[in-house]
Amino acid sequence: YGRKLTAYRAALHDHSNVSDGSFSPEEVIRLYKEQGYEIFAFTDHQITNPVSQYDGLGMQLISGLESHPDGPKGERWHLLCHGVPEDFVDPSLDKSNSAQDCIDIIRATGAAVFCAHPAWCGFHSSDVAALKNLSGMEVYNSDTRFCGKCYNMTCWDELADDGMVLNALALDDVHDARDLFH
């Protein structure tokens, strides 16, 4: 619309060896900084990282996690959460919390919650549509490219056609070296 906007290079779905990643927090920060990234979110599975204690090497570090409440068809949701407090306890650890309960608890902290890789999880747009107050969803996840389920645009388009407009994320979902910088 004729406005000049600032663009940032950001990695927003990343795992360290605090959960199932191959790299230590310090290693993954260094690797992304060397590639010119300006923002890095730690989204380890069901646990936060003490990002205020890490040297971001000039990058903005975001405290986050990937939450896994029970979902439809016996599969777990993968909810990508950005901006949770560093000492936040994932509400999906309490199995009495539904996915919607988890979203509501996480959003109450001021955090953003995104639906991660719904195609890989086997979810359809109708499943995602049942969730309220999502900040967006992954339309591309490079880690799931090896099983042919990296694209989630059909789900995103169907939701938009039905009036559920969500912000889109395209992410690398880093676990090991093959996932870096996509």
Side-chain angles (χ1 to χ4, degrees), residues 22-104:
S22 298
F23 303 106
S24 71
E26 295 79 12
E27 289 173 308
V28 77
I29 290 169
R30 180 185 54 76
L31 289 166
Y32 274 86
K33 177 62 178 176
E34 288 173 354
Q35 291 297 313
Y37 283 74
E38 299 158 300
I39 301 169
F40 187 89
F42 281 96
T43 56
D44 280 306
H45 296 280
Q46 298 185 296
I47 190 166
T48 59
N49 293 68
V51 297
S52 64
Q53 295 177 25
Y54 299 153
D55 179 355
L57 304 175
M59 286 191 302
Q60 175 67 46
L61 301 181
I62 297 173
S63 176
L65 60 84
E66 189 170 346
S67 183
H68 300 295
D70 291 336
K73 306 174 190 112
E75 295 296 326
R76 295 181 308 156
W77 285 104
H78 289 233
L79 301 175
L80 195 59
C81 309
H82 296 142
V84 295
E86 291 180 20
D87 60 350
F88 183 72
V89 176
D90 179 10
S92 74
L93 294 172
D94 178 349
K95 293 301 177 189
S96 69
N97 285 326
S98 69
Q100 190 61 58
D101 292 336
C102 290
I103 292 168
D104 295 342

Side-chain angles (χ1 to χ4, degrees), residues 81-145:
C81 309
H82 296 142
V84 295
E86 291 180 20
D87 60 350
F88 183 72
V89 176
D90 179 10
S92 74
L93 294 172
D94 178 349
K95 293 301 177 189
S96 69
N97 285 326
S98 69
Q100 190 61 58
D101 292 336
C102 290
I103 292 168
D104 295 342
I105 292 166
I106 294 163
R107 290 294 304 260
T109 71
V113 180
F114 297 85
C115 180
H117 45 67
W120 182 81
C121 295
F123 299 144
H124 300 281
S125 60
S126 59
D127 300 318
V128 178
L131 300 177
K132 306 301 177 218
N133 299 315
L134 287 172
S135 304
M137 69 174 281
E138 287 182 350
V139 297
Y140 179 80
N141 178 297
S142 72
D143 186 48
T144 60
R145 69 192 184 277

